[in-house]
Amino acid sequence: MNKSWKTALLMVALLFSGILAACNSSTGGSGSVSVGIVLPTRDEPRWVQDEQRFKEALEDSEYTTEILFSQGSSAREKENVETLINRGIDVLIITPQDGDAAGAAVETAKKEGITVISYDRLITNTDAVDYYVTFDSVSVGAAQGQYLIDQTGGTGIPLYLYAGAASDNNAFLFFEGAWSVLQPKIADGTFVIANSSEAEALKDSAELTRDQMSRILGQVTTNWDPNEAINKAQTHLTAVGPDLKGDVAVLAPNDGTARAIADVFASDGEVSSYIVTGQDAEKASIQYIIDGKQSMTVFKDVRTLVTDAISIAIDILDGNTPETTGSYDNGAKEVEAKQTDVIVVNQNNVKQELIDSEYYEASEFTGLE
Ligand code: BGC
């Protein structure tokens, strides 16, 4: 390339970056963004809800923020973090798509002196995470397992286990919680595992290692994908005989997969009744609960999580030390954490917990008494 071409290209590049800088400044009053937020996907109502709650909470804030979605891709997630670094953020709030893979992205941010807050899902095996804002995920799983125990009777009840994506640390926490209460009831014959030989082989182990859980997840993961959940549920129901049908219990990890799995179980003529768990209090699942198609959900009040994340961010921007309630081992360090409790919701308390608390409006549902 000759010199004049190079000069011309350089000038175009400079002009372009000037235009970009001008565009960026329009997103934030002072010309840069102070808090960058990266969420995993718009394809699940759970995360669209977080976006909306962040926007509501930040409406009158003096700090400028920008929210980007990674759409299920760790590569896109890394690009998002780089975009936000270029916008000049001081704090990054991020829900990793894949806990391990996100390490590289946050290490880049950390090198720029940015404070990293892991939001809802823990970023694992890197020391580039400063804080973790989370619900009590082990108790989510324990609440799901306990619900199945409380709502069924007799012995030899077929139990179908489903789990979240193995790339999400939460999937292990949820399963660990569920197993802690279900295992004694599997060992004593109250439940019979219908769809996992790995879980069946471990039924006498009160506590599972991550490796053992990985083996079970390998058989029963939904990957947080309702379609995968449908396929697995269909395969499982096709594989079993009538002795593993009738009145059954189903551990479904979240609402998106719960509705998918519930539809499959509801359409099987040999399944006479099913109890199915969920979590997130997604609107569609609240309607399912009102209609008797999903048994329960674990309500995680996203308003609290958002408030906690923002107050940590503001403390950092103001030069204060954020308050935390404990810590989580992410494989490389103990990450200071702020944790929030969860609430079990079923037909009996749905109105009180979700409407009276103004989380949702009654008009968004039908058949609510
Ligand atoms: C979250 C759940 C969500 C799931 C799938 C988990 O990490 O804690 O609320 O349903 O991911 O997105």
Side-chain angles (χ1 to χ4, degrees):
M1 203 185 295
N2 68 34
K3 203 168 166 222
S4 60
W5 258 109
K6 273 191 194 160
T7 316
L9 268 182
L10 189 69
M11 285 186 61
V12 170
L14 280 175
L15 192 71
F16 194 64
S17 63
I19 292 169
L20 268 186
C23 288
N24 295 344
S25 65
S26 67
T27 62
S30 64
S32 66
V33 176
S34 33
V35 182
I37 301 167
V38 178
L39 295 173
T41 178
R42 261 186 203 287
D43 296 341
E44 293 173 35
R46 157 74 217 261
W47 305 110
V48 177
Q49 158 112 232
D50 289 70
E51 177 192 33
Q52 189 197 328
R53 303 288 182 187
F54 266 115
K55 284 187 173 157
E56 285 165 10
L58 288 160
E59 233 161 33
D60 303 318
S61 156
E62 58 176 292
Y63 298 101
T64 49
T65 54
E66 179 156 357
I67 306 177
L68 299 175
F69 280 87
S70 307
Q71 295 308 103
S73 152
S74 294
R76 173 91 170 261
E77 178 177 84
K78 190 149 191 296
E79 280 166 25
N80 285 340
V81 170
E82 279 156 11
T83 303
L84 293 168
I85 294 173
N86 290 333
R87 300 263 208 275
I89 56 166
D90 294 310
V91 180
L92 172 67
I93 297 174
I94 174 169
T95 304
Q97 172 55 36
D98 175 313
D100 275 341
V106 294
E107 278 155 25
T108 316
K110 200 70 207 143
K111 280 198 197 103
E112 301 292 327
I114 293 162
T115 301
V116 176
I117 304 174
S118 214
Y119 177 85
D120 193 287
R121 295 180 183 169
L122 186 58
I123 298 176
T124 37
N125 296 313
T126 174
D127 57 11
V129 190
D130 298 289
Y131 295 98
Y132 181 33
V133 176
T134 183
F135 293 102
D136 182 348
S137 294
V138 174
S139 84
V140 170
Q144 294 172 332
Q146 193 58 45
Y147 199 85
L148 297 180
I149 295 168
D150 293 346
Q151 301 296 319
T152 50
T155 55
I157 306 151
L159 172 64
Y160 291 79
L161 300 172
Y162 294 95
S167 57
D168 176 3
N169 188 56
N170 284 346
F172 291 87
L173 302 178
F174 299 144
F175 196 82
E176 178 191 327
W179 188 259
S180 71
V181 297
L182 288 172
Q183 182 273 332
K185 299 288 180 188
I186 299 165
D188 75 5
T190 306
F191 291 110
V192 178
I193 297 173
N195 66 335
S196 170
S197 55
E198 294 284 359
E200 173 64 23
L202 291 160
K203 70 175 179 194
D204 292 320
S205 308
E207 278 176 31
L208 301 178
T209 63
R210 191 149 175 128
D211 216 51
Q212 290 171 326
M213 280 193 275
S214 291
R215 295 213 293 271
I216 300 174
L217 258 64
Q219 293 183 321
V220 303
T221 184
T222 60
N223 266 319
W224 294 135
D225 175 359
N227 288 319
E228 190 160 337
I230 289 174
N231 290 339
K232 285 237 159 89
Q234 281 171 343
T235 306
H236 294 151
L237 285 176
T238 307
V240 299
D243 55 320
L244 289 173
K245 293 192 177 175
D247 300 321
V248 306
V250 185
L251 177 76
N254 76 346
D255 283 351
T257 58
R259 295 192 302 278
I261 294 167
D263 288 348
V264 175
F265 276 75
S267 65
D268 188 304
E270 286 174 323
V271 172
S272 26
S273 77
Y274 61 89
I275 305 286
V276 64
T277 60
Q279 75 166 299
D280 291 335
E282 285 185 4
K283 280 181 201 167
S285 278
I286 297 309
Q287 190 61 56
Y288 260 50
I289 289 174
I290 296 167
D291 296 342
K293 297 199 284 187
Q294 182 178 323
S295 317
M296 63 87 87
T297 188
V298 181
F299 171 36
K300 310 199 298 187
D301 192 330
V302 170
R303 294 172 299 192
T304 311
L305 206 61
V306 161
T307 309
D308 285 347
I310 293 174
S311 46
I312 291 184
I314 290 178
D315 275 340
I316 289 154
L317 293 168
D318 291 350
N320 300 326
T321 308
E323 267 180 42
T324 50
T325 53
S327 69
Y328 273 74
D329 184 350
N330 83 336
K333 70 179 277 201
E334 283 289 326
V335 184
E336 291 288 305
K338 178 92 186 4
Q339 183 168 292
T340 295
D341 291 339
V342 297
I343 298 168
V344 172
V345 168
N346 66 8
Q347 268 182 353
N348 301 333
N349 64 347
V350 63
K351 190 171 168 298
Q352 176 197 333
E353 295 298 345
L354 292 163
I355 309 300
D356 299 350
S357 73
E358 297 183 346
Y359 200 71
Y360 293 136
E361 283 173 28
S363 60
E364 297 175 283
F365 306 99
T366 56
L368 192 70
E369 277 161 30

